[in-house]
Amino acid sequence: MTHAHEEEVLARIAKGLVYTESEAAFQAPRRRTEQIFEYNHTPPSETEKRRSLLVAIFGSVGERTVLLPPFHAGFGSNVYIGDDFFGNVNLTFVDDVDIRIGNDVMIAPSVTLTTTGHPVHPLRRADFGRFSEPIVIEDKVWIGSNAVVLPGVRIGYGSVIGAGSVVSRSIPPMTVAVGTPCRVVRPITDEDLTTRTAGH
Protein backbone atom coordinates (compact mmCIF):
# COMPACT_ATOMS: atom_id res chain seq x y z
CA MET A 1 0.00 0.00 0.00
CA THR A 2 1.40 3.40 -0.97
CA HIS A 3 1.91 6.19 1.55
CA ALA A 4 -0.70 8.27 -0.30
CA HIS A 5 -3.23 5.44 -0.03
CA GLU A 6 -2.49 5.06 3.71
CA GLU A 7 -3.12 8.80 4.15
CA GLU A 8 -6.42 8.49 2.26
CA VAL A 9 -7.55 5.61 4.50
CA LEU A 10 -6.56 7.53 7.65
CA ALA A 11 -8.50 10.55 6.41
CA ARG A 12 -11.58 8.37 5.87
CA ILE A 13 -11.23 6.85 9.34
CA ALA A 14 -10.93 10.35 10.84
CA LYS A 15 -14.23 11.35 9.18
CA GLY A 16 -16.07 8.35 10.64
CA LEU A 17 -16.52 6.78 7.19
CA VAL A 18 -16.50 3.05 6.43
CA TYR A 19 -13.15 1.32 5.95
CA THR A 20 -12.14 -2.34 5.77
CA GLU A 21 -9.75 -4.69 7.56
CA SER A 22 -7.48 -4.89 4.50
CA GLU A 23 -7.36 -1.11 4.13
CA ALA A 24 -6.40 -0.65 7.79
CA ALA A 25 -3.89 -3.53 7.93
CA PHE A 26 -0.92 -1.12 7.72
CA GLN A 27 -1.76 -0.03 11.29
CA ALA A 28 -1.05 -3.52 12.69
CA PRO A 29 2.41 -2.58 14.12
CA ARG A 30 0.61 -0.22 16.55
CA ARG A 31 -1.16 -3.17 18.19
CA ARG A 32 0.25 -4.02 21.64
CA THR A 33 -1.20 -7.54 21.85
CA GLU A 34 1.98 -9.21 23.16
CA GLN A 35 2.45 -6.63 25.93
CA ILE A 36 -1.25 -6.86 26.88
CA PHE A 37 -0.95 -10.65 27.13
CA GLU A 38 2.15 -10.24 29.29
CA TYR A 39 0.46 -7.68 31.58
CA ASN A 40 -2.52 -9.99 32.08
CA HIS A 41 -0.13 -12.76 33.21
CA THR A 42 2.15 -10.68 35.44
CA PRO A 43 1.89 -11.48 39.20
CA PRO A 44 0.36 -8.71 41.36
CA SER A 45 3.58 -8.43 43.37
CA GLU A 46 5.53 -7.25 40.28
CA THR A 47 4.30 -3.68 40.46
CA GLU A 48 7.26 -2.13 38.61
CA LYS A 49 6.95 -4.58 35.72
CA ARG A 50 3.21 -3.94 35.52
CA ARG A 51 3.81 -0.20 35.43
CA SER A 52 6.44 -0.44 32.68
CA LEU A 53 4.09 -2.61 30.61
CA LEU A 54 1.27 -0.05 30.94
CA VAL A 55 3.65 2.69 29.76
CA ALA A 56 4.59 0.50 26.77
CA ILE A 57 0.98 -0.40 25.94
CA PHE A 58 -0.89 2.89 26.16
CA GLY A 59 -0.52 6.10 24.16
CA SER A 60 -0.04 7.76 27.54
CA VAL A 61 -0.76 6.81 31.13
CA GLY A 62 -0.80 9.00 34.22
CA GLU A 63 0.38 8.42 37.76
CA ARG A 64 -1.08 6.03 40.37
CA THR A 65 -2.81 3.83 37.82
CA VAL A 66 -4.72 0.74 38.92
CA LEU A 67 -5.83 -1.59 36.13
CA LEU A 68 -6.87 -5.03 37.32
CA PRO A 69 -6.18 -7.85 34.87
CA PRO A 70 -7.40 -9.14 32.64
CA PHE A 71 -8.04 -6.21 30.34
CA HIS A 72 -8.26 -6.26 26.55
CA ALA A 73 -7.50 -3.75 23.80
CA GLY A 74 -7.51 -3.88 20.02
CA PHE A 75 -4.43 -1.65 19.92
CA GLY A 76 -3.74 -0.19 23.36
CA SER A 77 -1.62 2.53 21.76
CA ASN A 78 -4.75 4.60 21.01
CA VAL A 79 -5.72 4.80 24.70
CA TYR A 80 -4.72 7.87 26.75
CA ILE A 81 -5.30 7.70 30.53
CA GLY A 82 -4.96 10.46 33.13
CA ASP A 83 -3.85 10.31 36.77
CA ASP A 84 -5.49 8.25 39.54
CA PHE A 85 -7.31 5.87 37.19
CA PHE A 86 -9.02 2.77 38.52
CA GLY A 87 -10.07 0.11 36.02
CA ASN A 88 -11.63 -3.07 37.36
CA VAL A 89 -11.43 -6.54 35.75
CA ASN A 90 -12.48 -7.29 32.17
CA LEU A 91 -12.21 -3.75 30.86
CA THR A 92 -12.25 -3.80 27.05
CA PHE A 93 -10.92 -0.98 24.87
CA VAL A 94 -11.92 -1.24 21.19
CA ASP A 95 -9.47 1.52 20.32
CA ASP A 96 -9.25 1.63 16.54
CA VAL A 97 -9.18 5.41 17.12
CA ASP A 98 -8.51 7.44 20.29
CA ILE A 99 -10.03 6.74 23.69
CA ARG A 100 -9.14 9.63 26.01
CA ILE A 101 -9.73 9.25 29.74
CA GLY A 102 -9.24 12.11 32.20
CA ASN A 103 -8.10 12.16 35.82
CA ASP A 104 -9.79 10.41 38.76
CA VAL A 105 -11.89 8.10 36.56
CA MET A 106 -13.30 4.86 38.01
CA ILE A 107 -14.50 2.01 35.82
CA ALA A 108 -16.29 -1.01 37.31
CA PRO A 109 -15.98 -4.65 36.11
CA SER A 110 -16.76 -5.79 32.57
CA VAL A 111 -17.09 -2.39 30.87
CA THR A 112 -16.61 -2.03 27.12
CA LEU A 113 -15.43 1.22 25.50
CA THR A 114 -15.80 0.76 21.75
CA THR A 115 -14.83 3.37 19.18
CA THR A 116 -15.92 1.09 16.34
CA GLY A 117 -19.24 -0.03 14.86
CA HIS A 118 -20.28 -1.71 11.63
CA PRO A 119 -22.69 -0.78 8.84
CA VAL A 120 -26.19 -2.25 9.13
CA HIS A 121 -26.30 -3.63 5.56
CA PRO A 122 -24.39 -6.93 5.33
CA LEU A 123 -22.81 -6.10 1.97
CA ARG A 124 -21.07 -3.14 3.59
CA ARG A 125 -19.58 -5.44 6.25
CA ALA A 126 -17.51 -7.38 3.69
CA ASP A 127 -13.84 -7.56 4.77
CA PHE A 128 -15.01 -6.48 8.25
CA GLY A 129 -16.22 -3.08 7.02
CA ARG A 130 -16.45 -0.68 9.95
CA PHE A 131 -16.42 2.93 11.11
CA SER A 132 -14.70 4.49 14.12
CA GLU A 133 -15.22 7.62 16.20
CA PRO A 134 -13.23 8.69 19.30
CA ILE A 135 -14.48 8.38 22.88
CA VAL A 136 -13.75 10.99 25.58
CA ILE A 137 -14.29 10.34 29.29
CA GLU A 138 -13.75 13.53 31.27
CA ASP A 139 -12.33 13.87 34.81
CA LYS A 140 -14.00 12.25 37.84
CA VAL A 141 -16.40 10.03 35.87
CA TRP A 142 -17.62 6.73 37.36
CA ILE A 143 -18.85 4.03 34.96
CA GLY A 144 -20.83 1.13 36.48
CA SER A 145 -20.45 -2.59 35.80
CA ASN A 146 -21.29 -4.02 32.38
CA ALA A 147 -21.79 -0.62 30.75
CA VAL A 148 -21.04 -0.22 27.05
CA VAL A 149 -19.86 3.12 25.68
CA LEU A 150 -20.38 3.42 21.91
CA PRO A 151 -18.43 5.31 19.20
CA GLY A 152 -18.26 9.10 19.35
CA VAL A 153 -19.52 9.44 22.94
CA ARG A 154 -18.23 12.04 25.41
CA ILE A 155 -19.05 11.55 29.09
CA GLY A 156 -18.92 14.87 30.93
CA TYR A 157 -17.06 15.80 34.11
CA GLY A 158 -18.15 14.06 37.29
CA SER A 159 -20.96 12.06 35.75
CA VAL A 160 -22.07 8.59 36.80
CA ILE A 161 -23.12 5.92 34.29
CA GLY A 162 -25.37 3.26 35.84
CA ALA A 163 -24.56 -0.44 35.67
CA GLY A 164 -25.66 -2.18 32.49
CA SER A 165 -26.16 1.03 30.51
CA VAL A 166 -25.59 1.33 26.78
CA VAL A 167 -24.23 4.84 26.20
CA SER A 168 -25.04 5.78 22.61
CA ARG A 169 -25.12 9.57 23.05
CA SER A 170 -22.91 12.02 24.91
CA ILE A 171 -23.71 12.65 28.58
CA PRO A 172 -23.45 16.15 30.09
CA PRO A 173 -21.30 16.91 33.15
CA MET A 174 -22.46 16.27 36.74
CA THR A 175 -25.39 14.01 35.92
CA VAL A 176 -26.52 10.47 36.71
CA ALA A 177 -27.39 8.58 33.53
CA VAL A 178 -28.72 5.03 33.26
CA GLY A 179 -30.42 2.61 30.93
CA THR A 180 -30.54 1.23 27.43
CA PRO A 181 -30.25 3.59 25.72
CA CYS A 182 -28.53 5.56 28.48
CA ARG A 183 -30.44 8.70 29.51
CA VAL A 184 -29.86 11.39 32.14
CA VAL A 185 -32.12 10.77 35.13
CA ARG A 186 -31.00 13.62 37.39
CA PRO A 187 -28.27 16.14 38.14
CA ILE A 188 -25.62 15.51 40.78
CA THR A 189 -26.08 18.14 43.52
CA ASP A 190 -24.70 19.08 46.94
CA GLU A 191 -27.40 16.84 48.46
CA ASP A 192 -25.37 13.90 47.14
CA LEU A 193 -22.59 14.90 49.54
CA THR A 194 -24.74 13.64 52.46
CA THR A 195 -25.83 10.24 51.15
CA ARG A 196 -24.54 7.07 52.86
CA THR A 197 -22.96 9.05 55.67
CA ALA A 198 -23.40 8.39 59.39
CA GLY A 199 -27.02 8.72 60.44
CA HIS A 200 -28.42 8.50 56.87
Side-chain angles (χ1 to χ4, degrees):
M1 184 179 288
T2 66
H3 181 70
H5 187 64
E6 290 180 5
E7 291 295 319
E8 186 271 326
V9 172
L10 289 171
R12 236 183 318 136
I13 293 171
K15 290 178 186 170
L17 300 175
V18 173
Y19 62 99
T20 68
E21 178 70 20
S22 299
E23 289 175 323
F26 68 90
Q27 295 189 90
R30 299 194 64 230
R31 294 184 186 271
R32 304 290 181 254
T33 48
E34 292 293 325
Q35 294 97 324
I36 292 166
F37 180 90
E38 189 176 356
Y39 182 86
N40 286 334
H41 294 83
T42 300
S45 59
E46 296 186 23
T47 52
E48 287 183 23
K49 181 178 180 184
R50 276 191 172 179
R51 174 68 191 177
S52 66
L53 282 166
L54 288 182
V55 169
I57 290 164
F58 293 128
S60 65
V61 59
E63 300 301 318
R64 298 170 299 279
T65 306
V66 178
L67 179 55
L68 300 183
F71 86 96
H72 307 280
F75 284 83
S77 59
N78 292 326
V79 176
Y80 302 84
I81 296 175
D83 295 335
D84 299 298
F85 173 80
F86 182 87
N88 216 316
V89 295
N90 294 320
L91 176 53
T92 299
F93 301 99
V94 183
D95 61 323
D96 294 272
V97 296
D98 289 0
I99 296 174
R100 296 193 174 269
I101 298 172
N103 300 322
D104 304 298
V105 169
M106 298 192 306
I107 300 183
S110 300
V111 167
T112 299
L113 307 175
T114 179
T115 65
T116 295
H118 301 276
V120 172
H121 198 290
L123 294 179
R124 299 203 70 204
R125 293 197 300 270
D127 191 17
F128 304 106
R130 57 188 180 263
F131 59 87
S132 302
E133 295 178 34
I135 288 171
V136 177
I137 298 170
E138 295 183 3
D139 296 349
K140 300 187 185 299
V141 165
W142 170 29
I143 301 177
S145 300
N146 293 297
V148 179
V149 179
L150 296 178
V153 164
R154 174 184 285 265
I155 299 176
Y157 172 94
S159 286
V160 175
I161 305 299
S165 296
V166 176
V167 190
S168 56
R169 292 198 176 109
S170 293
I171 302 299
M174 292 297 285
T175 56
V176 176
V178 302
T180 304
C182 190
R183 298 187 195 289
V184 173
V185 292
R186 68 177 183 85
I188 295 170
T189 69
D190 285 352
E191 287 184 18
D192 291 303
L193 291 169
T194 64
T195 58
R196 292 184 187 263
T197 58
H200 282 78

